[in-house]
Amino acid sequence: MSRSDIRYWNRKAELMPREELLKGQLRDLKTTVKMALKTAFYSKRLAEAGITSPEDITSLKDLTKIPFTTKDDLRSSYPYGMLAVPKEEVIRLHASSGTTGIPTVIYHTEEDIENWTELTARSMAATGVTRADVFQNMMSYGLFTGGLGLHYGAERLGALVIPAGAGNTKRQFKLMRDFQTTVVHATPSYLLHLYSKLEEEELRVSELSLKKALAGAEPYSENIRKKIENLFGIDVYNSYGLSEMNGPGVAFECVFKSGMHVWEDAFLLEVIDPHTLKPLYDGDEGELVFTTLKRSATPLLRYRTRDLSRVFPDDCICGRVHRRIERIKGRTDDMLIINGVNIFPSQIEEVIMKMPEVGTNYQIVVEKAGALDRITVKTEVGAKIFSDDTRDLNKIKEKIKNNLRASISISPVVELHEPGMLPVSEGKAVRVIDVRPRERD
Ligand code: ADP
Ligand code: ZN
């Protein structure tokens, strides 16, 4: 990658000086507070904090006067408690996938959709997608934001869009081959699944025209990225978003693939300590908190994402003013406590996916064995390895176990499976099955 590979979609918005960005943020924060005060939920919540007018916000520092908003707040004000405009002005609603409970609903005016489209077009352009590309969107269309979100951006960019939707691997391959798809958008787990099905479909990577994948919607490690890149011979770019902040187009990697630029003209970014709720400095790991700056139908103030990451303190070579966040480590509630050791599934993934013997899918099962927790790591290995001598299989099992013990101090039971034997989900991958009885509090 060199500087000549950099493509800007909106030079003014992407390259403005930091001071100008901050000035715009303050202006838009005031507007957002003004809109929020029109909702049943925030008028009460903000009044409790002594904020009754946008004039109560005089600098970005005043942000800390504003209370946080949580997923439960969105749930409890369902369906219309957070709507800030008359219903006639709303043209669409989306909902979260419901990974952690009842889905939450976000409304959009025409202008909200326009602003979101601008962000997704900008994001795709940052990875080098152009109007010459054939873009196959393998995310689900519907309430989930992954389908329509990038669809609009890709059309705005002028790419040829194939709204394939999720699943139906056979058809995905047919579309890819017939229309010479150059860019796909999918979850990383689905991309690995696609690869594992190539052989069944008697297809070779060389018969495809694929150059890039935009992968997101679920956490994945750098080693999974590398695996997908090497298997398909393509570039994979990380895409982060959440339905509460529109969906995809919140943060995206540029061609330098060193963290995801958060579009700070649209989202005010904070990183907080999830326990003390105090703001952290750039570089420190914590929970991401976002405030919408350009949304009128559902303004959200200091929304706690529960996603863990950190801000890179240095500038990106691409020159964009927007700060970058590190790949998401997981959600605060993903953390597993195994016999007293705290671990994130992403740490297990990082270790096993570095091993060339390990295939494209894995699953973690946690259960009680007497008083102790037992963790089983199930992974697929290549068909050839599987048909070989069981002594080799045992060696691989030992190696996985040792690597996990050495790097994250857990001693799992390891199970090896044939390719395609572990369950794959059409939406977000379900990696962890925790069947331990819940402790009552
Ligand atoms: P839900 O919260 O029900 O899963 P969403 O569809 O809104 O519904 O999903 C947003 C969440 O998905 C984010 O908060 C984050 O946890 C996860 N996510 C999205 N993109 C990424 C990514 N690139 N890396 C890691 N996690 C991601
Ligand atoms: Zn960059």
Side-chain angles (χ1 to χ4, degrees):
M1 260 333 128
S2 73
R3 289 194 71 92
S4 61
D5 293 306
I6 306 172
R7 299 272 178 281
Y8 304 107
W9 170 252
N10 179 339
R11 297 184 78 91
K12 191 172 173 310
E14 293 171 63
L15 298 173
M16 69 180 122
R18 186 97 203 146
E19 306 78 70
E20 197 180 314
L21 177 76
L22 298 179
K23 231 165 93 187
Q25 284 185 329
L26 177 61
R27 179 196 60 221
D28 294 341
L29 174 62
K30 285 179 158 186
T31 310
T32 301
V33 167
K34 183 169 149 213
M35 292 310 292
L37 284 166
K38 295 184 185 190
T39 69
F41 171 80
Y42 279 118
S43 55
K44 187 159 171 282
R45 176 66 65 90
L46 290 175
E48 282 162 7
I51 299 167
T52 52
S53 137
E55 298 315 314
D56 291 326
I57 305 293
T58 55
S59 83
L60 285 174
K61 287 206 184 79
D62 288 339
L63 189 63
T64 51
K65 289 189 196 160
I66 300 176
F68 292 106
T69 306
T70 63
K71 222 176 175 97
D72 282 340
D73 292 330
L74 277 166
R75 285 177 182 145
S76 63
S77 48
Y78 181 91
Y80 286 120
M82 283 208 194
L83 184 58
V85 298
K87 228 187 284 175
E88 299 79 59
E89 286 181 31
V90 177
I91 62 160
R92 201 197 294 168
L93 67 76
H94 275 287
S96 69
S97 322
T99 311
T100 58
I102 306 166
T104 54
V105 180
I106 299 294
Y107 304 92
H108 300 274
T109 63
E110 195 175 344
E111 202 186 343
D112 292 340
I113 295 288
E114 169 60 33
N115 288 334
W116 181 16
T117 300
E118 155 72 23
L119 294 177
T120 48
R122 191 198 286 179
S123 302
M124 295 176 78
T127 69
V129 179
T130 70
R131 52 184 301 120
D133 278 302
V134 178
F135 172 67
Q136 188 165 330
N137 194 357
M138 301 180 175
M139 290 285 196
S140 130
Y141 278 70
L143 287 173
F144 177 60
T145 54
L148 286 170
L150 280 205
H151 180 101
Y152 272 56
E155 282 190 352
R156 176 63 53 89
L157 208 63
L160 194 175
V161 183
I162 309 177
N168 200 342
T169 307
K170 241 186 183 20
R171 196 184 60 174
Q172 300 285 11
F173 280 135
K174 179 160 170 42
L175 294 169
M176 285 171 89
R177 202 155 50 170
D178 292 356
F179 302 109
Q180 287 115 49
T181 299
T182 53
V183 184
V184 293
H185 176 216
T187 58
S189 52
Y190 191 68
L191 291 170
L192 288 171
H193 174 67
L194 264 188
Y195 186 84
S196 72
K197 291 287 171 189
L198 269 177
E199 209 167 284
E200 226 171 87
E201 298 300 320
E202 291 172 11
L203 251 178
R204 277 192 311 268
V205 168
S206 56
E207 292 171 72
L208 301 173
S209 312
L210 200 60
K211 290 199 208 92
K212 288 183 185 42
L214 315 177
E218 64 189 19
Y220 61 115
S221 56
E222 193 58 41
N223 287 331
I224 288 263
R225 181 224 299 266
K226 289 200 190 108
K227 188 158 218 151
I228 303 171
E229 291 193 323
N230 294 337
L231 291 171
F232 284 103
I234 58 171
D235 283 304
V236 174
Y237 296 96
N238 198 357
S239 150
Y240 169 76
L242 59 163
S243 59
E244 291 83 356
M245 295 294 128
N246 300 342
V250 176
F252 235 87
E253 279 181 339
C254 70
V255 287
F256 294 101
K257 296 182 192 165
S258 63
M260 298 178 280
H261 290 280
V262 174
W263 302 124
E264 292 187 89
D265 53 337
F267 306 100
L268 206 56
L269 162 69
E270 296 172 86
V271 181
I272 61 161
D273 179 317
H275 305 292
T276 65
L277 308 184
K278 291 267 182 300
L280 297 173
Y281 291 106
D282 284 3
D284 293 341
E285 184 184 282
E287 177 179 349
L288 300 177
V289 171
F290 291 108
T291 297
T292 60
L293 291 173
K294 293 250 158 46
R295 206 167 59 198
S296 42
T298 328
L300 284 187
L301 300 169
R302 304 191 85 198
Y303 179 71
R304 289 187 59 182
T305 63
R306 300 197 256 182
D307 291 327
L308 293 171
S309 177
R310 66 191 180 97
V311 172
F312 286 119
D314 55 331
D315 293 332
C316 184
I317 312 169
C318 75
R320 289 182 175 85
V321 63
H322 307 268
R323 285 177 300 167
R324 290 157 303 139
I325 51 170
E326 192 174 42
R327 175 180 291 290
I328 309 290
K329 187 174 176 189
R331 302 188 196 223
T332 45
D333 32 13
D334 283 344
M335 192 180 77
L336 295 167
I337 306 182
I338 310 290
N339 298 321
V341 179
N342 298 351
I343 45 163
F344 280 91
S346 57
Q347 292 173 282
I348 298 180
E349 177 181 304
E350 190 73 45
V351 175
I352 60 176
M353 285 299 163
K354 219 180 335 199
M355 302 176 56
E357 301 89 340
V358 170
T360 52
N361 200 357
Y362 75 94
Q363 196 177 51
I364 299 164
V365 179
V366 190
E367 60 209 325
K368 272 277 174 216
L372 292 179
D373 300 317
R374 179 168 57 205
I375 177 161
T376 306
V377 175
K378 304 180 178 186
T379 77
E380 291 177 358
V381 285
K384 162 116 190 14
I385 300 181
F386 207 84
S387 57
D388 283 352
D389 203 325
T390 51
R391 269 177 305 183
D392 291 338
L393 285 177
N394 283 336
K395 257 191 230 150
I396 297 173
K397 271 193 202 173
E398 266 317 294
K399 192 168 159 197
I400 294 176
K401 210 168 157 163
N402 290 339
N403 286 357
L404 284 168
R405 192 182 301 129
S407 44
I408 51 175
S409 310
I410 56 163
S411 276
V413 178
V414 175
E415 275 181 20
L416 301 182
H417 293 260
E418 272 181 89
M421 292 316 283
L422 290 175
V424 215
S425 107
E426 260 190 19
K428 302 186 183 222
V430 180
R431 300 293 197 193
V432 180
I433 301 182
D434 192 340
V435 293
R436 289 176 294 183
R438 279 182 168 249
E439 275 173 30
R440 299 208 163 267
D441 41 21

